[in-house]
Amino acid sequence: KKEIEIALVGNPNSGKTCLFNDLTGARQHVGNWPGVTVEKKEGRFEKGDKSIKVIDLPGTYSLGAYSEDEVIARNYIINEKPDVVVNVVDSTNLERNLYLTIQLLEMNANIVLALNMIDEAKNKNINININALSDFLNIPVIPTIATRKEGLNELIDKILSISNIKPKDGFIIDYGKEIEEEIKKLTGIILNYPEISKRYPVRWTAIKLLEKDSYIFNEIKKTTNLETLSQVERSRRYLQEILGDDPEILIADMRYGYISGLIKESVRKLQTSEERYT
Ligand code: GDP
Ligand code: K
Ligand code: MG
């Protein structure tokens, strides 16, 4: 009987710890991540004949290389490859929260979206079309109220039902002809290095290199020859010249644009009577 491993990921204050407690009850262990003072929480629960290990990852808005929390969260997902990543989002702040979701998708994580604080969204007259959101992102979406354990059983059932799926290295956002061509050049090079391509999702690595992610940049520097780094520099300079901005800014803008389109398709803010009459 193989243990299923799941990780909770989300922005700070999205309700991760609350959901972690709902899932694991008293069966938790608190320690530290190796080498750092960031708290590591692990717990367990059972469902039927399945045993599920749960990790509460540090809260973070992004999965770049800027903070300890970001690096811990993303290294865990990349290196440990949890069977399921439960992406806990604050339903009242979907636009900001989905920035992390997009990055998880680009890392090929096997995601279920816990649309948490759905009670607060209702109070604020934010109406989320769950099916549209799920279709758009191509991942299961379960509304939850962690403080009341609502949606918990549905979430657990979904976690178990997708736990043996392995998402393919794929296309989430089309970054446009120019950027896509440079991504293609870099993925071509990365594929020559199994040490890298077996460990990291290839498309994600190419995007990270265009963004000049310091962590991935160093990994590449250690593992590949100088030709790789000079191609990264050429690609970055070329994009900067023809598109007029740093690739990391262009890439972030396209992610925000994608999310904004997605929000338009799936979220309605209904006016309250008070708002209508003031
Ligand atoms: P974390 O930072 O992601 O670990 O978030 P916490 O679990 O600490 O929750 C942040 C705050 O949101 C706490 O005050 C929780 O009680 C509250 N909270 C969590 N889930 C919900 C929910 O579904 N609905 C409402 N109304 N509040 C929630
Ligand atoms: K908190
Ligand atoms: Mg927490």
Side-chain angles (χ1 to χ4, degrees):
K1 178 175 101 178
K2 184 187 159 283
E3 188 180 58
I4 295 170
E5 201 174 304
I6 70 172
L8 304 185
V9 189
N11 291 10
N13 292 315
S14 56
K16 271 184 314 90
T17 299
C18 212
L19 198 60
F20 178 81
N21 292 337
D22 291 349
L23 289 168
T24 62
R27 301 187 60 191
Q28 337 186 327
H29 170 80
V30 183
N32 279 320
W33 293 93
V36 290
T37 53
V38 179
E39 186 180 271
K40 179 180 187 183
K41 281 176 103 173
E42 254 183 66
R44 275 198 164 67
F45 68 95
E46 248 110 69
K47 170 86 193 222
D49 63 347
K50 300 266 172 37
S51 171
I52 300 103
K53 177 175 152 187
V54 192
I55 310 279
D56 189 15
L57 290 173
T60 176
Y61 295 104
S62 182
L63 292 166
Y66 296 104
S67 71
E68 228 165 38
D69 289 347
E70 290 185 32
V71 172
I72 288 172
R74 89 174 195 191
N75 279 358
Y76 187 85
I77 294 164
I78 297 243
N79 298 328
E80 303 302 321
K81 298 184 174 47
D83 298 303
V84 177
V85 168
V86 180
N87 179 198
V88 186
V89 299
D90 171 356
S91 302
T92 68
N93 253 314
L94 209 49
E95 191 145 7
R96 185 177 67 187
N97 280 245
L98 288 176
Y99 193 70
L100 188 69
T101 310
I102 296 302
Q103 294 178 68
L104 290 167
L105 285 168
E106 289 191 326
M107 289 164 74
N108 303 339
N110 190 25
I111 305 174
V112 52
L113 201 69
L115 210 52
N116 197 37
M117 308 201 182
I118 202 76
D119 53 332
E120 285 296 315
K122 284 210 180 93
N123 290 340
K124 292 182 178 169
N125 284 301
I126 300 167
N127 189 303
I128 302 171
N129 183 335
I130 291 165
N131 290 332
L133 191 62
S134 172
D135 286 350
F136 216 119
L137 293 168
N138 200 20
I139 51 176
V141 177
I142 308 287
T144 59
I145 306 172
T147 39
R148 288 193 239 139
K149 298 196 182 190
E150 275 183 39
L152 196 66
N153 287 329
E154 291 82 352
L155 183 66
I156 292 172
D157 288 345
K158 190 52 79 177
I159 290 169
L160 294 178
S161 76
I162 68 166
S163 64
N164 51 11
I165 292 176
K166 295 273 169 277
K168 285 200 283 284
D169 195 1
F171 201 75
I172 310 301
I173 294 179
D174 181 342
Y175 287 103
K177 184 172 166 288
E178 293 84 0
I179 295 179
E180 288 297 333
E181 269 171 19
E182 301 314 303
I183 290 176
K184 210 165 166 189
K185 283 180 199 162
L186 294 175
T187 53
I189 296 176
I190 295 160
L191 285 168
N192 293 328
Y193 296 95
E195 316 90 291
I196 297 289
S197 65
K198 286 218 167 76
R199 192 154 165 225
Y200 299 102
V202 175
R203 180 176 164 86
W204 177 83
T205 307
I207 295 170
K208 285 291 143 206
L209 287 171
L210 286 180
E211 291 179 301
K212 212 172 167 94
D213 178 281
S214 57
Y215 189 92
I216 292 299
F217 211 75
N218 283 332
E219 287 291 286
I220 293 289
K221 206 166 169 177
K222 275 190 291 190
T223 314
T224 72
N225 65 23
L226 285 174
E227 183 50 35
T228 315
L229 292 183
S230 54
Q231 180 58 54
V232 174
E233 279 313 322
R234 268 201 305 280
S235 292
R236 282 179 51 82
R237 230 179 303 123
Y238 171 72
L239 291 175
Q240 153 80 257
E241 268 165 32
I242 57 162
L243 299 175
D245 222 331
D246 290 337
E248 58 270 35
I249 292 173
L250 296 164
I251 288 169
D253 280 353
M254 302 198 80
R255 286 185 184 138
Y256 285 119
Y258 177 89
I259 292 167
S260 149
L262 192 158
I263 294 282
K264 279 202 189 80
E265 296 293 322
S266 56
V267 181
R268 296 270 175 280
K269 174 84 172 78
L270 306 170
Q271 279 187 319
T272 62
S273 51
E274 280 162 44
E275 282 167 340
R276 263 201 304 271
Y277 295 112
T278 49

